[in-house]
Amino acid sequence: MRTFAPRFLVLAAAALSAVGVASAALADDPAAPAYTGPAVETITSTLRGPDGAALGAVQLSQDAAGVVRVTVDVSQLPAGPHGIHLHSVGTCEGPAFTSAGGHVNPASKQHGLLNPAGPHAGDLPGIDETTVDLLMYNGATSLVTLMSGPRSLFDVDGSALVVHMNADDQMTDPTGNSGARIACAVLAAPNPALATATPKPPATGSGAAGDAFPGWLPLAVGGGLLVLAGAGAATAGRRR
């Protein structure tokens, strides 16, 4: 488990510099779009371990160009690199989190940002030294949307964010050899009211199970701070 002090001051500084960190960390990755802000849509949730304990806050923000920034407090994850993906079902039942389904993949592609036959829409840059600063992960994608439409995370099955035990090699189908699922956050709960007679494209991606923290996490929102309770509800909050 990563340790640091003072927690509040460090996380506050990380949150306030999130946009700059994300741009710098992803600058060398041609597959990573640039988030420019300001956010036109934002959702927040809580990352939870296999026992349901809160591990930290999750925030997704979409700018006017359609780029979604993913910010996650990774301070309570095991040390080392981890795969992180957007999954196709908005449920997080521990300890294995298989209830979250496979990766978001409406185009039926293979896994991996470096895979010529990929990527899945739910693939993200991994959690490592290039995407983490002051214990905050910052990734970005333009393959999903927080709005309505065929790429929306708010579909009939909902969606979740899942962290895996091992690094993602960004090539191997279906999960980049990233191993067991160790943490999960509901981004959008399933919404049966959106069900239609048209079958959805198949999703791919799997994985299998453990880790805990309540605490407070301040995140930058517009020109000010939004203080989120790490021990908040498992369902995601959405606002514009």
Side-chain angles (χ1 to χ4, degrees):
M1 182 180 296
R2 298 178 174 88
T3 59
F4 61 103
R7 178 179 181 80
F8 183 88
L9 293 178
V10 170
L11 288 178
L16 287 172
S17 62
V19 175
V21 169
S23 299
L26 300 173
D28 296 328
D29 185 354
Y35 175 86
T36 57
V40 297
E41 183 76 18
T42 298
I43 61 174
T44 60
S45 188
T46 301
L47 189 67
R48 296 186 180 277
D51 59 356
L55 301 179
V58 174
Q59 180 168 291
L60 274 65
S61 303
Q62 181 169 322
D63 64 18
V67 178
V68 176
R69 183 185 68 198
V70 181
T71 306
V72 183
D73 173 6
V74 298
S75 62
Q76 299 300 306
L77 295 179
H82 301 280
I84 180 171
H85 312 113
L86 302 175
H87 283 242
S88 60
V89 182
T91 59
C92 289
E93 298 174 2
F97 300 124
T98 55
S99 63
H103 299 172
V104 174
N105 187 25
S108 300
K109 293 189 176 184
Q110 293 185 21
H111 170 77
L113 297 177
L114 301 178
N115 188 333
H120 295 157
D123 290 346
L124 294 170
I127 298 173
D128 58 30
E129 68 279 359
T130 69
T131 58
V132 174
D133 185 72
L134 295 176
L135 303 178
M136 295 293 292
Y137 166 85
N138 289 279
T141 179
S142 59
L143 300 179
V144 298
T145 180
L146 306 184
M147 308 301 203
S148 61
R151 297 184 294 113
S152 179
L153 295 180
F154 289 85
D155 64 0
V156 63
D157 295 324
S159 57
L161 179 143
V162 173
V163 177
H164 292 253
M165 175 62 77
N166 303 322
D168 184 346
D169 64 21
Q170 299 293 352
M171 280 289 292
T172 306
D173 206 42
T175 63
N177 286 326
S178 53
R181 306 178 184 193
I182 61 171
C184 185
V186 173
L187 301 177
N191 186 355
L194 297 177
T196 67
T198 303
K200 295 178 59 179
T204 61
S206 58
D211 275 33
F213 137 70
W216 295 91
L217 173 63
L219 294 176
V221 179
L225 281 178
L226 170 66
V227 180
L228 303 174
T235 56
R238 187 180 186 188
R239 61 180 187 79
R240 290 181 179 171

